[in-house]
Amino acid sequence: MNIHTVSTQPFDDQKPGTSGLRKSVTAFQTRHYLENFVQSIFDSLEGYAGSTLVVGGDGRYYNRVAIQVILKMAAANGFGRVLVGQGGILSTPAASCIIRKYQAFGGIILSASHNPGGPDGDFGIKYNIGNGGPAPEKVTEAIYARSQTIDQFKILEVADVDLDQLGAVQLGEMTVEVIDAVADYAELMQSLFDFDRIRAYLSSTAFRMSMDSMHAVTGPYAQVIFEQMLGAPAGTVVNGVPLEDFGGGHPDPNLVYAHDLVELLFGKDAPDFGAASDGDGDRNMILGQRFFVTPSDSLAVLAANATLVPGYKDGLAGIARSMPTSQAPDRVAAALGIDCYETPTGWKFFGNLLDAGKATLCGEESFGTGSNHVREKDGLWAVLFWLNVLAVRQESVEAIVTEHWKTYGRNYYSRHDYEEVASEPAHQLMDNLRSLVPTLKGKVYGTYEVDYGDDFSYTDPVDGSISKKQGIRIGFTDGSRIVFRLSGTGTKGATLRLYLESYEADPTKQGLDPQDALGDLIAIAHEMAQIKALTGRDQPTVIT
Ligand code: VG1
Ligand code: CO
């Protein structure tokens, strides 16, 4: 065996963000940049000798190159086996499924999710632990600490593995198994949902759907599940071939970036149901005919209808949502008599709640929904959940959501993103708010009176770990909220996120455009944070 120990020097910017390390492709192409981070992961793990690692990615530019390096480094560092998706492909939820099913030690997922790809785009890498979920903060902190002192890495000198050929090959003493990227995941979906019922519904001439995979990783999964297993007509899945640059687009399933699907669903002769997923397949957008379901509402509706779906027929242990997500799920939890947990942004915070059986469904406002079936958010799972509910209720998406509002009230919700603003003033803005908001209690803005203001701090109810500075919250006495935080996934400058929410119990007032319903709160947020003065922007770049 030809194991090389290569001298290297630390990079000072390998701190994982909300979801792993994300940088431009050119940064990852810097000599030893990838190797340093991979070795830092391995160096901060204990007891993996001879065990199994899962590796795969969203197929973006540099995916195959990075996988070859990771395989050779895993072999040199003593892993016994690597399971890698065919063609280097694994969606994030499929990787989570495979880690759990084969009881792997952990997994490495290559993705920058919804960030654009290609030689001038972004790349990313993250480590998932044995429960299939993103490494918790104590692990990512250890990886970062190691990356600051690293002075060597180990790699096996050997020919590349053919990632397109299914089957096992030896890499030194380690076995590499190239596995079908879709089969295990598709089987898990079949165990949760009533495929017979969905198949019957999809074949009824009255129902039409469109699934936009945005030239990202879910194409092969969606084709197998919707068109082969569930018998949807050919062409139901659009943009179904993963491309290294996602066809030049942002593989981000929202009203702005999934514009083709939005146009179709809001146009003449629109299908009944539309869905999209992101670069790595963990996000979802749900549309009805001329109707958009906000992700927060989606979580609430799925929770309220969960017992209609075989995998959840016995009810939910609890619900968990990230802090900026609207409080719509809280109302369902209260009605069901179960707990609703509020966590910081990022799926890693749901892992303990899911492992401990405290939560069954989880969600984030950023088009993320999932459950205890894996430990990642799961785009196609959410689409199947909706289809199962539609097949049972035989009502339109719009009818289901508006009836939900009548029962629970409507949480008007919107997120305004100010992308790529200068980093220093963005941090200044947050610092200003951090000192301002605790002084605001009792202050009146128009019809709103401040109830509390703080910088969200989370104590994990399972292991007691504390995560501070997770976003500025301003709560009003009528339950409305304004939240500010800086993105932890962007790669250029800073991205300011402003989250707005108000509650309307009266069904006759639930039909407004959210931007109108939230107009006063938007103005208050601008006044408090001095967004224009500090960022130079008076309009957000993306509104969802
Ligand atoms: C964003 C979202 C967050 C999500 C994260 C990873 O993080 O707001 O809810 O968990 O992306 O999603 P941030 O720090 O930029 O706000 V994904 O699909 O990019 O893995
Ligand atoms: Co994603």
Side-chain angles (χ1 to χ4, degrees):
M1 271 218 305
N2 204 358
I3 295 177
H4 289 245
T5 301
V6 182
S7 297
T8 189
Q9 289 189 338
F11 293 91
D12 63 7
D13 65 347
Q14 296 198 321
K15 190 177 172 61
T18 311
S19 181
L21 182 69
R22 287 192 194 165
K23 299 282 173 197
S24 65
V25 166
T26 47
F28 271 101
Q29 287 168 329
T30 309
R31 193 170 126 90
H32 296 172
Y33 193 86
L34 173 71
E35 290 85 346
N36 273 21
F37 192 70
V38 173
Q39 189 67 51
S40 299
I41 294 174
F42 293 158
D43 287 351
S44 41
L45 305 177
E46 270 169 32
Y48 60 77
S51 66
T52 300
L53 183 72
V54 172
V55 177
D58 63 11
R60 68 177 59 224
Y61 184 81
Y62 211 57
N63 194 46
R64 285 174 180 262
V65 178
I67 288 177
Q68 297 293 350
V69 169
I70 292 166
L71 293 178
K72 292 170 193 177
M73 289 185 66
N77 279 276
F79 277 93
R81 179 170 76 142
V82 170
L83 302 178
V84 58
Q86 191 176 21
I89 294 281
L90 284 179
S91 77
T92 289
S96 185
C97 157
I98 288 165
I99 293 169
R100 295 170 67 76
K101 180 167 175 180
Y102 297 101
Q103 297 178 356
F105 188 88
I108 293 182
I109 303 176
L110 291 325
S111 171
S113 189
H114 53 287
N115 297 21
D120 302 321
D122 286 339
F123 192 72
I125 173 167
K126 73 171 179 167
Y127 180 70
N128 280 29
I129 58 174
N131 76 351
E137 280 188 323
K138 64 174 188 306
V139 177
T140 56
E141 278 159 16
I143 295 170
Y144 177 50
R146 178 63 190 142
S147 77
Q148 292 175 296
T149 58
I150 190 165
D151 57 4
Q152 59 178 46
F153 64 85
K154 281 197 237 165
I155 188 159
L156 186 69
E157 194 185 303
V158 63
D160 282 359
V161 172
D162 180 354
L163 294 174
D164 298 307
Q165 182 67 44
L166 289 177
V169 291
Q170 255 339 90
L171 218 54
E173 288 173 11
M174 186 183 88
T175 309
V176 177
E177 284 179 38
V178 179
I179 60 171
D180 184 305
V182 178
D184 293 307
Y185 177 81
E187 189 185 292
L188 177 60
M189 293 302 109
Q190 210 168 6
S191 75
L192 297 172
F193 300 108
D194 188 342
F195 270 37
D196 290 338
R197 198 153 186 170
I198 299 174
R199 192 181 302 110
Y201 193 57
L202 287 177
S203 66
S204 72
T205 46
F207 185 81
R208 288 182 305 140
M209 77 171 270
S210 181
M211 168 73 216
D212 189 346
S213 288
M214 303 188 82
H215 287 305
V217 79
T218 64
Y221 296 86
Q223 254 145 10
V224 168
I225 293 171
F226 297 119
E227 296 188 7
Q228 292 174 27
M229 298 170 82
L230 292 169
T236 296
V237 178
V238 297
N239 300 324
V241 177
L243 299 177
E244 285 199 331
D245 67 349
F246 309 117
H250 270 69
D252 198 353
N254 61 38
L255 293 174
V256 176
Y257 294 124
H259 38 79
D260 292 353
L261 182 77
V262 172
E263 231 166 75
L264 181 69
L265 268 288
F266 282 82
K268 271 197 201 145
D269 194 31
D272 304 278
F273 182 70
S277 53
D278 73 334
D280 61 332
D282 56 0
R283 298 186 178 203
N284 73 92
M285 177 170 70
I286 301 294
L287 300 173
Q289 199 174 60
R290 287 178 278 284
F291 194 83
F292 166 64
V293 186
T294 67
S296 303
D297 278 349
S298 181
L299 174 62
V301 169
L302 298 188
N305 289 279
T307 54
L308 303 179
V309 173
Y312 307 90
K313 67 176 186 336
D314 298 331
L316 308 175
I319 305 174
R321 63 162 174 84
S322 68
M323 182 273 282
T325 302
S326 96
Q327 297 161 95
D330 305 39
R331 296 185 178 270
V332 177
L336 293 173
I338 57 176
D339 287 329
C340 187
Y341 297 88
E342 185 175 45
T343 61
T345 294
W347 211 262
K348 56 178 174 271
F349 295 102
F350 294 133
N352 278 348
L353 296 171
L354 292 166
D355 285 352
K358 289 180 180 293
T360 310
L361 297 190
C362 305
E364 294 192 280
E365 49 65 40
S366 54
F367 298 83
T369 333
S371 87
N372 57 357
H373 69 291
V374 289
R375 293 293 180 274
E376 289 278 7
K377 56 190 189 269
D378 189 344
L380 293 182
W381 168 90
V383 179
L384 287 164
F385 203 129
W386 265 97
L387 282 175
N388 201 146
V389 170
L390 291 171
V392 174
R393 289 189 50 172
Q394 309 262 331
E395 291 168 82
S396 72
V397 172
E398 179 171 1
I400 289 172
V401 176
T402 47
E403 197 210 293
H404 185 95
W405 291 339
K406 269 191 205 138
T407 310
Y408 298 95
R410 177 173 184 184
N411 291 71
Y412 280 109
Y413 187 82
S414 186
R415 182 174 108 180
H416 291 193
D417 293 330
Y418 294 79
E419 296 177 320
E420 295 181 28
V421 297
S423 189
E424 211 178 296
H427 283 94
Q428 185 65 53
L429 182 150
M430 292 299 289
D431 287 344
N432 294 350
L433 285 170
R434 204 165 282 125
S435 37
L436 172 73
V437 299
T439 68
L440 294 182
K441 188 176 168 59
K443 199 162 173 212
V444 174
Y445 292 84
T447 55
Y448 294 96
E449 181 184 338
V450 177
D451 185 23
Y452 64 88
D454 63 9
D455 192 349
F456 181 53
S457 171
Y458 177 64
T459 304
D460 185 297
V462 179
D463 67 15
S465 60
I466 297 172
S467 304
K468 292 186 179 155
K469 293 173 103 172
Q470 296 297 322
I472 305 288
R473 313 188 286 184
I474 300 118
F476 298 91
T477 50
D478 69 348
S480 304
R481 291 193 312 165
I482 298 174
V483 173
F484 295 91
R485 52 182 287 286
L486 295 182
S487 159
T489 59
T491 55
K492 290 188 197 104
T495 291
L496 172 69
R497 304 202 195 284
L498 163 61
Y499 310 79
L500 304 138
E501 173 183 8
S502 71
Y503 180 67
E504 181 55 70
D506 180 352
T508 66
K509 297 182 185 159
Q510 290 173 348
L512 297 180
D513 179 329
Q515 302 311 315
D516 295 333
L518 296 165
D520 290 345
L521 286 175
I522 294 169
I524 295 168
H526 275 261
E527 184 190 329
M528 276 183 186
Q530 293 294 303
I531 296 176
K532 171 101 196 275
L534 281 156
T535 68
R537 308 266 183 89
D538 53 7
Q539 288 298 323
T541 30
V542 178
I543 294 181
T544 48

